Amino acid sequence: MKIKQALFAALVLGIATGASAQVKPEDQIKFRKAGYAFMSWNMGKIKAQTIDNPSSFNKDQVLAAANLIAATANSGMGALYGAGTDKDVGSQKTRVKPEFFQQQDEVRKLAVAFVKEANELQKVAATGDAAAIKVQFGKTGESCKACHDKFRKDE
């Protein structure tokens, strides 16, 4: 059974990798911006219900937002940083600093940390414990900020 799962995972990864390699740089930038914008909107929903207005806390809404954040973190968005996406392309502007493409070990470290925190946010959100979610939300946000501080240009 485990062999079948491993083969299936390899097949899916191969298909996804092949498909992303065919995506034009302009579309890669557009898709990654959309992914981060949707994730940010969901982070905002959690912030609104755990920090800004805790009396509005709705565990189902928070869990749905945390699920989306974890899914996006685990979606392989790194494939959307292909060749030619280090600068504006066509109608798509990017805020990625050139260092992002030059310091892949640091990028990998920050990405792994973000995925870890996003997965933990999903796990904690499933408990419905608003106080614990607030703490983990802070850790997840800090992992986002670490990458932004190092690799995102100010507007």
Side-chain angles (χ1 to χ4, degrees), residues 1 4 6 14 18 32 35 38 47 51 55 59 62 67 72 77 79 81 96 101 105 122 133 136 141:
M1 182 69 166
K4 285 183 183 178
R32 75 183 186 218
F38 195 51
K47 180 179 182 284
I51 296 170
S55 65
K59 67 179 181 144
V62 169
N67 286 340
T72 305
M77 282 184 57
Y81 289 90
V96 177
F101 296 90
D105 288 340
Q122 181 183 40
I133 295 167
Q136 184 56 39

Side-chain angles (χ1 to χ4, degrees), residues 62-105:
V62 169
L63 178 57
N67 286 340
L68 178 281
I69 293 162
T72 305
N74 288 283
S75 70
M77 282 184 57
L80 298 174
Y81 289 90
T85 67
D86 58 332
K87 58 190 171 298
D88 298 347
V89 179
S91 66
Q92 294 300 316
K93 299 198 180 306
T94 182
R95 294 172 61 190
V96 177
K97 291 180 180 177
E99 293 84 359
F100 179 93
F101 296 90
Q102 300 159 0
Q103 299 175 17
Q104 289 301 293
D105 288 340

